[in-house]
């Protein structure tokens, strides 16, 4: 197996020596040949990689091809509808809108309209001109318990921390938000000077580590919170319970991104990996969560306060709703993050297999709040692969009032989906703390692109709803969106996700499909109580036979 390398190691220097008798400069080839032989000898002696040990030097070609493979696929092989997590078609439309380039497409759709899962909006013969209404679509956030409500755009920057993103990326995002009149969620990493410099509206996210509002022991500090929450830039407060990309896990800041500046902002040791706890220490039950919301609302002088979560066990959200009804304390908004959400660093299993996808989660949250009679006072914000106007329309039709986008805004900054967010080697300077890389991200240029992307996406949304005969996204319902569920059948969203009757979960008219969640949910605990189904009862009748040791069973040693 390693014979070829031995032949190369012996013959290459000899051949070079012989050729030097004819032409002396050929000896310069030894500058290349000898280091390669040295690498091969090292491979032959090392014991960590069997492939390199068996195929010295030549076996390294495998790692080179693995490194090259994503670039070959992205730039040479994949079609416009291929590529993950964001395909080329959607990446291109973000780039085009951000740059103000031509954004129309020729020769018809490249999407297979007959594939299962294809979705569209039903237009109207009573379509209206989008110019006839204000295209700056906004939604008021703030219930009866809020004294400083906020008029939010329907499309905003989702949570991305300084640390996950570079200083220049944060400056450009906030500058774009300031210029375009929409909000910028800080992410759980706290409020940095770069979030404040441009003066854009901020949603301050409070995570489980309480960065920016923690004491020396890492617990929540009312004094530190009140000092920042009353800043004029801070428009809303969001308590992060979980996020779509790694729900139940907690945030991760890799050590090579934890610079002295970031460590100072977060109050953590420098150059260490920072793993946020999976749960909060300030509360541990639905009533305590709601009391914490009321406390933050008071400390922030009446600003809207809500929470963000990825739906896991449905009964746990039902428990929160029961606690709202019982206590009378309500959040001003709830951000629903889908399981398809992105992040800079997450374990594979969490990204792929934990958390409910956005569409199902969104419909469930909207229905649950409606069923408990709470929907009128609480706004729903959707987050998870929101890139185009139709993405907004689908989420808003399902029950959201507002949408957030993280990866769309990153693409507007110049992200090329190199999939190196967790390595500190982001080539576009977006997701890195390396000054040699983020210097390439020119803030003045990229903030303009963020503004343009937002403006054109909201404009596209306005045109879509105008085609359906609507003047505001608040008029969208599940009846407007269609999905091909098989080769023979098409269903409207209201058939796939049937509406609940307002207040029905507080009455005797509880739908059968919801009864189990209501039975499991206790308003004083996140964890569901054990409720026996018919299958459980049958199993419990058999279980004692399994649990009790048989007197006739042989003992094997």
């Amino acid at each position: 197996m390693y014979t070829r390398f031995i032949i190369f190691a012996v013959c290459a220097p000899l051949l070079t020596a012989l050729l030097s008798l004819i032409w002396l400069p050929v000896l310069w080839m030894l500058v290349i040949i000898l280091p390669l032989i040295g690498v091969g000898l090292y491979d032959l002696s090392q014991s960590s990689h069997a492939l390199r040990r068996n195929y010295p030097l030549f076996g390294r070609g495998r790692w080179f091809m693995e490194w090259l493979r994503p670039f070959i696929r992205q730039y040479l092989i994949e079609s416009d509808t291929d590529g993950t997590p964001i395909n080329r078609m959607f990446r291109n439309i973000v780039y085009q809108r951000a740059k103000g380039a031509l954004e129309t497409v020729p020769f018809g759709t490249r999407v297979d309209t007959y594939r299962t899962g294809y979705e569209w909006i039903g237009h109207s013969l009573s379509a209206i001109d989008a110019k006839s209404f204000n295209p700056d679509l906004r939604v008021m956030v703030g219930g009866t318990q809020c004294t400083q409500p906020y008029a939010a755009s329907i499309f905003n920057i989702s949570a991305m921390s300084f640390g996950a993103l570079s200083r220049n990326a944060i400056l450009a995002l906030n500058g774009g938000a300031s210029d375009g009149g929409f909000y910028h969620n800080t992410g759980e990493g706290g409020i940095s000077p770069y979030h404040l410099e441009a003066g854009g509206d901020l949603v301050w996210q409070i995570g489980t580590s309480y960065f920016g509002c923690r004491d020396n022991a890492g617990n929540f500090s009312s004094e530190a919170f009140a000092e920042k929450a009353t800043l004029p830039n801070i428009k809303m407060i969001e308590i992060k319970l979980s996020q779509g990309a790694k729900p139940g896990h907690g945030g991760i800041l890799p050590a090579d991104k934890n610079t002295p500046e970031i460590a100072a902002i977060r109050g953590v040791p420098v150059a260490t990996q920072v793993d946020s706890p999976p749960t909060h220490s300030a509360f541990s039950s639905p009533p305590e969560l709601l009391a914490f919301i009321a406390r933050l609302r008071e400390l922030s002088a009446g600003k809207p306060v809500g929470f963000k979560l990825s739906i896991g066990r449905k009964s746990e959200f039902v428990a929160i709703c029961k606690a709202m009804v019982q206590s009378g304390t309500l959040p001003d908004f709830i951000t629903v993050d889908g399981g398809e959400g992105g992040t800079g660093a997450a374990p594979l299993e969490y990204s792929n297999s934990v958390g409910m996808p956005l569409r199902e989660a969104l419909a469930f949250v909207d229905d649950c709040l409606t069923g408990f009679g709470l929907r009128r006072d609480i706004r729903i914000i959707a987050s998870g692969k929101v890139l185009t106007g139709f993405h907004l329309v689908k989420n808003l039709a399902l029950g959201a009032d507002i949408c957030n986008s993280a990866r769309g805004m990153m693409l507007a900054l110049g992200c090329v989906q190199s999939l190196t967010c967790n390595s500190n080697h982001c080539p576009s300077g977006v997701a890195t703390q390396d000054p040699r890389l983020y210097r390439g991200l020119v803030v003045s240029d990229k903030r303009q692109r963020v503004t343009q992307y937002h403006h054109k996406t909201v404009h596209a949304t306005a045109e879509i709803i105008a085609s359906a005969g609507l003047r505001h996204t608040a008029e969208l319902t599940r009846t407007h969106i269609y999905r091909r569920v098989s080769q023979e059948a098409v269903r409207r969203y209201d058939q796939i996700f049937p509406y609940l009757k307002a207040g029905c979960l507080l009455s005797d008219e509880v739908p059968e499909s919801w009864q189990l969640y209501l039975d499991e949910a206790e308003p004083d605990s996140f964890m569901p109580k054990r409720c026996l189904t018919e299958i459980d009862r049958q199993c419990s009748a058999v279980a004692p036979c399994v649990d009790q040791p048989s007197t006739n069973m042989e003992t094997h040693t």
Side-chain angles (χ1 to χ4, degrees):
M1 297 181 183
Y2 50 81
T3 306
R4 293 179 182 178
F5 169 71
I6 299 300
I7 294 172
F8 168 78
V10 172
C11 294
L14 288 176
L15 182 61
T16 303
L18 290 173
L19 290 174
S20 69
L21 298 175
I22 303 171
W23 188 48
L24 189 61
V26 81
L27 289 174
W28 283 103
M29 289 293 295
L30 294 176
V31 175
I32 298 173
I33 293 171
L34 293 179
L36 289 177
I37 293 173
V39 170
L41 291 173
Y42 171 76
D43 289 345
L44 191 62
S45 62
Q46 59 83 37
S47 57
S48 300
H49 298 278
L51 189 64
R52 283 163 48 193
R53 187 175 176 87
N54 289 335
Y55 299 91
L57 186 61
F58 302 109
R60 289 178 175 266
R62 173 182 180 271
W63 282 272
F64 174 74
M65 294 305 295
E66 280 193 345
W67 171 80
L68 194 60
R69 177 173 170 268
F71 301 102
I72 292 176
R73 290 188 62 187
Q74 183 174 150
Y75 295 109
L76 299 177
I77 297 176
E78 72 179 33
S79 71
D80 285 349
T81 55
D82 291 335
T84 55
I86 310 297
N87 67 36
R88 180 176 291 276
M89 176 175 62
F90 290 139
R91 298 201 305 269
N92 283 345
I93 192 63
V94 175
Y95 294 146
Q96 290 161 356
R97 286 177 174 165
K99 296 176 181 178
L102 182 68
E103 56 182 279
T104 54
V105 295
F107 223 61
T109 181
R110 300 175 191 181
V111 174
D112 179 6
T113 59
Y114 292 96
R115 64 172 173 80
T116 299
Y118 174 70
E119 296 177 329
W120 67 95
I121 185 171
H123 66 280
S124 173
L125 295 177
S126 299
I128 60 178
D129 188 348
K131 297 177 182 176
S132 66
F133 59 86
N134 184 4
D136 183 25
L137 302 170
R138 294 191 171 271
V139 173
M140 191 64 71
V141 183
T144 56
Q145 299 164 353
C146 170
T147 58
Q148 292 193 57
Y150 173 65
S153 169
I154 61 166
F155 189 45
N156 305 277
I157 302 170
S158 195
M160 294 179 284
S161 302
F162 173 53
L165 300 191
S166 68
R167 53 171 288 178
N168 284 15
I170 296 295
L171 285 168
L173 287 173
N174 196 256
S178 177
D179 296 341
F182 51 101
Y183 70 69
H184 175 194
N185 191 306
T186 65
E188 67 173 305
I191 305 169
S192 72
Y194 313 113
H195 285 103
L196 301 172
E197 184 173 317
D201 292 348
L202 291 173
V203 173
W204 183 13
Q205 186 181 92
I206 309 298
T208 54
S209 286
Y210 307 111
F211 296 128
C213 56
R214 55 189 271 157
D215 58 23
N216 293 332
N219 298 314
F220 176 75
S221 167
S222 298
E223 294 76 15
F225 173 81
E227 181 182 351
K228 296 181 178 68
T230 51
L231 292 172
N233 297 59
I234 309 300
K235 302 300 181 182
M236 301 196 295
I237 313 297
E238 180 181 82
I239 304 165
K240 175 186 166 185
L241 302 182
S242 59
Q243 68 181 95
K246 45 179 181 281
H249 188 281
I252 302 172
L253 178 67
D256 52 1
K257 284 189 174 184
N258 187 10
T259 65
E261 182 180 33
I262 291 170
I265 292 170
R266 299 193 179 198
V268 296
V270 179
T272 59
Q273 177 167 308
V274 181
D275 297 320
S276 297
T279 58
H280 283 261
S281 60
F283 55 86
S284 59
S285 66
E288 291 178 2
L289 165 63
L290 298 176
F292 189 62
I293 288 173
R295 183 182 175 193
L296 297 191
R297 192 183 285 128
E298 180 183 357
L299 291 170
S300 63
K303 293 179 179 179
V305 180
F307 60 85
K308 169 183 175 178
L309 83 168
S310 172
I311 297 296
R313 289 287 294 269
K314 289 184 176 181
S315 52
E316 296 186 358
F317 187 78
V318 172
I320 296 175
C321 290
K322 283 187 173 183
M324 292 182 201
V325 173
Q326 190 177 83
S327 67
T329 301
L330 308 180
D332 296 294
F333 65 91
I334 297 172
T335 302
V336 182
D337 202 10
E340 64 270 47
T343 184
L348 176 74
E349 295 86 352
Y350 280 80
S351 289
N352 288 351
S353 309
V354 182
M356 187 180 295
L358 180 59
R359 307 287 181 264
E360 287 74 14
L362 198 53
F364 167 73
V365 169
D366 180 56
D367 289 339
C368 197
L369 293 175
T370 299
F372 279 102
L374 302 168
R375 184 65 178 89
R376 185 182 64 180
D377 296 318
I378 301 173
R379 297 288 174 259
I380 298 177
I381 303 173
S383 175
K385 269 192 177 179
V386 180
L387 300 161
T388 70
F390 186 57
H391 290 147
L392 267 78
V393 166
K394 287 194 295 184
N395 290 331
L396 299 173
L398 267 176
D401 299 290
I402 296 167
C403 289
N404 289 347
S405 176
R407 283 168 289 187
M409 296 296 178
M410 289 176 69
L411 291 169
L413 286 174
C415 166
V416 294
Q417 193 170 281
S418 63
L419 305 182
T420 55
C421 309
N422 59 340
S423 69
N424 204 34
H425 300 306
C426 172
S428 57
V430 176
T432 178
Q433 299 307 313
D434 188 339
R436 296 170 298 178
L437 293 173
Y438 69 65
R439 66 176 294 277
L441 196 160
V442 180
V443 174
S444 58
D445 175 61
K446 296 304 188 288
R447 71 182 282 175
Q448 182 181 2
R449 293 190 182 188
V450 170
T451 301
Q452 287 185 151
Y453 168 57
H454 169 271
H455 171 74
K456 288 180 176 290
T457 303
V458 172
H459 179 71
T461 304
E463 289 194 319
I464 292 172
I465 65 170
S467 297
L470 311 176
R471 295 180 178 274
H472 196 281
T473 51
E475 300 174 61
L476 280 166
T477 67
R478 299 177 193 177
T479 65
H480 289 102
I481 309 297
Y482 295 80
R483 178 190 291 173
R484 182 177 298 282
V485 296
S486 71
Q487 291 301 300
E488 297 81 24
V490 170
R491 297 283 186 271
R492 290 192 323 196
Y493 265 8
D494 63 318
Q495 295 172 301
I496 301 171
F497 306 104
Y499 281 111
L500 280 192
K501 183 179 179 181
C504 69
L505 299 181
L506 296 172
S507 68
D508 296 329
E509 302 177 31
V510 177
E512 184 179 352
S513 60
W514 283 78
Q515 190 61 59
L516 177 62
Y517 308 135
L518 288 173
D519 291 342
E520 286 183 336
E522 289 286 359
D524 58 353
S525 174
F526 288 123
M527 289 295 292
K529 67 180 180 181
R530 180 63 173 152
C531 294
L532 289 178
T533 64
E534 186 59 35
I535 294 177
D536 291 327
R537 293 188 184 95
Q538 294 173 10
C539 292
S540 64
V542 177
C545 299
V546 177
D547 293 338
Q548 296 296 325
S550 172
T551 55
N552 298 323
M553 186 178 295
E554 293 183 5
T555 302
H556 297 278
T557 59

